[in-house]
Amino acid sequence: MSTTTGAELHKDQPQPRGALDTFFHISERGSTVGTEVRAGVVTFFAMAYIVLLNPLIIGTSPDREGVVLGIPQVAAATALAAGVMSILFGVIAKYPFGIATGLGINTLVAVTMVGQQGLTWPEAMGLVVIDGIIIVLLAVSGFRTAVFNAIPDSMKVAMSVGIGMFIATIGLVDAGFVRRIPDAAMTTVPVQLGTGGSISSWPTFVFIIGLFICGFMVARNIRGGLFIGILLTTVIAMVVEALTGAGSSADNPEGWGMAVPGLPDSFGGIPDLSIVGNVDLFGAFVNLGVISASLLVFTLVLANFFDAMGTMTALGRQAGLTDEHAVLPDMKRALVVEGFGAVVGGATSASSNTVFVDSSAGIADGARTGLANVVTGVLFLVAMFFTPLYEIVPIEAAAPVLVVVGALMMMQVGQIEWSEFTIALPAFLTIVTMPLTYSIANGIGVGFISFALMSLFAGKAKEIHWIMWLISALFVVYFAQGPIMAALS
């Protein structure tokens, strides 16, 4: 008879070291409080650009009444929503997935809903709130979890790899390493290396140095390497700016993309939260009609739904927190909290908040629990008062982390069944569509539709879960929304 005790069976496993450790399952997931705190800081710096970028997207355009949300107001609201939602997700879902304003959704709100459809900002944010309510209800009902479970494993891997490519592309573009070729060049080639095919700007040169610093840190398995990489690259950026005076890209095409590295003139102030709560839930239905407004809500729901699904799958796999089918434990709870991000984002006029793909930077630095999210969220709340301090870190210093993380996520590509073409083609389309269209939802939609069609042509239609057929049909409507909206107008 065996005399092995329970203590002996678990003697090699780390034991909880207090209430904080137990609550967040820190030791259980092989992490430490110090690692979580440090990785939470890394995630914040990787995400912080959203507080600078979101105001430029939704804070400068007037609505039909001539109202502009304002850059300072949107910056404060963006930091507030990101802080609150990241903390809530960390405490309730207990995963290290930072939450902030979703890129793509904010452009949809600003360009399509306000610019083209003529909604006021309160009306547009009202639709975002409704979108969030619907997503929460879908999560509570278990439908979102059912969708996760219906996706074939190879497609989940393709989603993760595609998001890795997307992350790396964001990093390369933000750093100016890859740039859009001006329309005046009269070429069908959309992008180029640097400026005129060469690396001629100091900020991009700093990015390259930072990329190899971060790459070295990861290759040598240096604890906190990505955080150290951001700090070192920021110091180099400050020195370069002091010596060259490159300035902002708004004044110099070869200047810094967003924040100009240097000591701030001030160290903070009282945030302007005047746009928080300025929401009109039903105005869009009155001004556009029920059908047109409902189509806009449908677009928001589908984009939010699958952006979050793809991102959570990728981040969960990267952190090693998913099961053999790439499903997170307690997925339903995580999805409910994430869905609430759209409600908070709309209510604060910051646009829909969702799981942020840049959280991969913190995960790569060791984040495994919600404690890292709490740290990230607290820093966002602090950022409302001390915005100049984190503006010291230029996007070119954070971008190397995104490229390194993209490379790490690409390692999963071998798990796709490339020898089976009914899987290979949809997986390939999923992977390439995300970075090329700058949209996770687009990549998932193209992948789902092509997977359904390839299975149908191969005589495997009965093997596909009915939810996959339903989602594929919804994506057909999603991609045809332009003609549909035109027909209704």
Side-chain angles (χ1 to χ4, degrees), residues 57-350:
I57 295 175
I58 70 173
T60 59
S61 302
D63 61 18
R64 72 167 186 268
E65 296 179 352
V67 175
V68 176
L69 293 179
I71 289 179
Q73 293 84 351
V74 174
T78 301
L80 174 63
V84 170
M85 284 309 307
S86 292
I87 292 172
L88 282 178
F89 195 85
V91 171
I92 299 174
K94 297 183 175 63
Y95 289 120
F97 307 161
I99 292 183
T101 299
L103 290 173
I105 296 295
N106 57 359
T107 303
L108 173 66
V109 171
V111 176
T112 301
M113 296 169 63
V114 174
Q116 297 175 359
Q117 297 298 318
L119 296 180
T120 65
W121 285 109
E123 290 169 352
M125 294 303 169
L127 292 185
V128 173
V129 171
I130 293 172
D131 154 48
I133 293 172
I134 293 173
I135 289 178
V136 169
L137 293 176
L138 290 174
V140 171
S141 70
F143 181 74
R144 291 190 80 182
T145 305
V147 171
F148 269 86
N149 295 333
I151 301 172
D153 291 347
S154 287
M155 291 302 294
K156 290 176 182 175
V157 175
M159 287 159 51
S160 297
V161 174
I163 289 172
M165 290 279 288
F166 182 39
I167 292 171
T169 301
I170 291 173
L172 293 170
V173 171
D174 286 350
F177 189 85
V178 173
R179 294 176 185 258
R180 179 177 178 271
I181 297 179
D183 294 333
M186 300 299 289
T187 176
T188 57
V189 179
V191 294
Q192 63 183 351
L193 176 68
T195 303
S198 64
I199 304 301
S200 58
S201 71
W202 283 109
T204 303
F205 178 67
V206 169
F207 158 77
I208 295 172
I209 294 175
L211 178 60
F212 285 104
I213 290 175
C214 291
F216 170 79
M217 295 288 180
V218 172
R220 296 301 298 268
N221 294 315
I222 296 175
R223 179 173 295 183
L226 294 180
F227 180 54
I228 296 171
I230 291 175
L231 292 181
L232 289 177
T233 308
T234 299
V235 172
I236 294 171
M238 294 176 70
V239 172
V240 168
E241 172 60 21
L243 294 175
T244 65
S248 170
S249 59
D251 304 314
N252 173 17
E254 296 186 351
W256 303 93
M258 293 183 192
V260 177
L263 294 177
D265 296 328
S266 64
F267 291 92
I270 303 300
D272 184 347
L273 299 175
S274 58
I275 62 174
V276 173
N278 192 12
V279 176
D280 183 349
L281 287 177
F282 306 108
F285 293 91
V286 174
N287 288 299
L288 294 182
V290 174
I291 295 178
S292 294
S294 297
L295 277 174
L296 289 176
V297 172
F298 169 77
T299 302
L300 287 170
V301 169
L302 211 61
N304 261 337
F305 190 107
F306 287 100
D307 267 1
M309 184 185 73
T311 303
M312 289 176 69
T313 299
L315 295 178
R317 288 179 64 91
Q318 181 192 359
L321 299 175
T322 58
D323 61 19
E324 66 273 16
H325 299 296
V327 176
L328 287 164
D330 296 322
M331 173 70 81
K332 183 176 180 179
R333 179 167 54 184
L335 291 173
V336 171
V337 180
E338 187 280 331
F340 190 62
V343 178
V344 172
T348 57
S349 298

Side-chain angles (χ1 to χ4, degrees), residues 337-386:
V337 180
E338 187 280 331
F340 190 62
V343 178
V344 172
T348 57
S349 298
S351 185
S352 178
N353 274 229
T354 186
V355 173
F356 222 64
V357 70
D358 303 75
S359 305
S360 55
I363 292 173
D365 206 51
R368 293 296 180 271
T369 77
L371 179 58
N373 245 44
V374 172
V375 172
T376 300
V378 169
L379 289 175
F380 268 116
L381 295 181
V382 171
M384 289 195 301
F385 300 90
F386 298 98

